[in-house]
Amino acid sequence: MTTIRWGMIGCGSVAEVKSGPGFYKSDNSALVAVTSRQLKHAQSFAERHGVPKVYVSSEELVADPEIDAVYIATPPSSHKALSLLVAKAGKHVYVEKPMALRFEECRDIVEACQQQGVRLFVAFYRRAMPRFLQVKAWIDSGAIGAVRLVRAVQHQPPAPEDLSPATLPWRLRPEVAGGGKFLDMGIHELDLFDFLFGAIEEVHGIASNQAGLYEVEDTVTATWRHASGVQGVGSWCYVGTANEDAIQIIGSKGSISFEFFSDKPLKLVNGDGEQLLEIPNPPHVQQPFIQSMVDDLNGVAPCPGSVDSAVRSTWVADKILENYRRQKGY
């Protein structure tokens, strides 16, 4: 087994717990270098996580011959440029989701990686988390019969930092994120549904901004159809009064329900009764996916991530947000 040596571009909050430690805690994996737009952030991260090399620029990091693959943990506005930079250097690319600002940019990244002969992975890491693999196992085993419908709900009040332009996070700035919280979080759900039910072939959506706190959408509704025949409906509202997080999968012989963004128990209901199954999330939620990438690169087993699905998820999100973006001019 070969140790996959990782470089990391970006040392923000996502890298601190969710992803960063997974690169040096996974088997046959090592985090050997980091860089950030602010050098002090990279230096601090390296000190706290035992990373031996800190580079002042992405260009210097990707030129390191002791790096095999690079994790791009930056906002979406830089994903295309950095992915092309990494691919041109002959390194495998692991880029945060969404893959890019728009569907066309995703295709450019895929083409560049293919031309350079490097692998491309996108951080739809929930495909490797145990709780979601259990949901897939129930579906694949026929525990709820033929799947008919999936319903997704994510409603929450605004965060304190959302209330003022002075504190507005980059995830709510269209020029940086491409959209709002739906694009940041809802796209995870779209990718999981692709994983569970196959490609989405038809989608219709309405996006609006009802609270006027920022420029991007704050409320989204959508309906869609998978090639398998499964239909979907979702609502995402980030300016409500209460938190609601619910996924319900309806089958011909039962149902599965769970919260997407927590690790509360999964619920299976069918002819055998009701079953609650508690599967805690791992301390570093991306680590199972990182391990699967390392195993894939070593020829052990394929990563459950799909480049085609990652591109499709951006296509679906683009379709849902298309009219709103046109109205707003971005």
Side-chain angles (χ1 to χ4, degrees), residues 26 73 104 130 290:
S26 294
E104 292 76 13
I290 292 168

Side-chain angles (χ1 to χ4, degrees), residues 57-73:
S57 71
S58 301
E59 289 78 9
E60 290 187 6
L61 183 142
V62 302
D64 186 337
E66 296 183 345
I67 290 176
D68 305 304
V70 176
Y71 170 45
I72 300 169

Side-chain angles (χ1 to χ4, degrees), residues 33-238:
V34 295
T35 188
S36 178
R37 284 190 305 171
Q38 296 192 44
L39 181 60
K40 64 180 181 180
H41 289 168
Q43 291 171 331
S44 175
F45 185 94
E47 291 173 2
R48 286 179 286 105
H49 293 272
V51 181
K53 299 179 185 180
V54 176
Y55 285 105
V56 298
S57 71
S58 301
E59 289 78 9
E60 290 187 6
L61 183 142
V62 302
D64 186 337
E66 296 183 345
I67 290 176
D68 305 304
V70 176
Y71 170 45
I72 300 169
T74 61
S77 58
S78 60
H79 285 182
K80 177 182 173 180
L82 289 174
S83 294
L84 300 187
L85 176 71
V86 174
K88 187 176 180 180
K91 318 292 186 183
H92 303 299
V93 178
Y94 178 41
V95 61
E96 266 298 335
K97 54 77 211 166
M99 186 193 299
L101 290 175
R102 297 291 190 275
F103 172 68
E104 292 76 13
E105 290 190 353
C106 293
R107 292 195 298 184
D108 291 342
I109 294 172
V110 172
E111 182 179 353
C113 290
Q114 290 174 341
Q115 289 178 348
Q116 297 297 327
V118 298
R119 296 292 302 280
L120 171 62
F121 303 94
V122 183
F124 288 116
Y125 56 85
R126 282 174 167 82
R127 288 171 171 246
M129 289 174 60
R131 62 187 279 104
F132 298 114
L133 291 177
Q134 178 60 61
V135 171
K136 182 170 175 56
W138 276 337
I139 293 171
D140 291 349
S141 70
I144 62 169
V147 178
R148 308 297 194 200
L149 173 72
V150 59
R151 182 175 64 185
V153 174
Q154 187 190 21
H155 301 161
Q156 56 186 228
E161 61 268 22
D162 301 348
L163 303 178
S164 168
T167 58
L168 202 64
W170 64 258
R171 289 176 173 83
L172 295 176
R173 299 184 182 276
E175 72 278 10
V176 180
K181 293 184 180 181
F182 165 73
L183 195 58
D184 185 49
M185 294 186 283
I187 200 166
H188 265 301
E189 297 176 320
L190 296 175
D191 179 78
L192 184 74
F193 299 152
D194 190 299
F195 181 52
L196 297 176
F197 314 122
I200 294 175
E201 287 193 338
E202 180 183 359
V203 59
H204 308 274
I206 299 173
S208 64
N209 184 299
Q210 299 191 30
L213 297 175
Y214 37 75
E215 186 177 359
V216 295
E217 77 287 343
D218 60 20
T219 305
V220 175
T221 56
T223 57
W224 61 89
R225 177 183 55 80
H226 295 262
S228 61
V230 176
Q231 293 185 33
V233 59
S235 66
W236 298 265
C237 179
Y238 303 102

Side-chain angles (χ1 to χ4, degrees), residues 129-132 134-135 262-266 277-281:
M129 289 174 60
R131 62 187 279 104
F132 298 114
Q134 178 60 61
V135 171
S262 81
D263 57 359
K264 292 183 179 179
L266 309 170
L277 186 59
E278 187 171 354
I279 304 177
N281 287 337

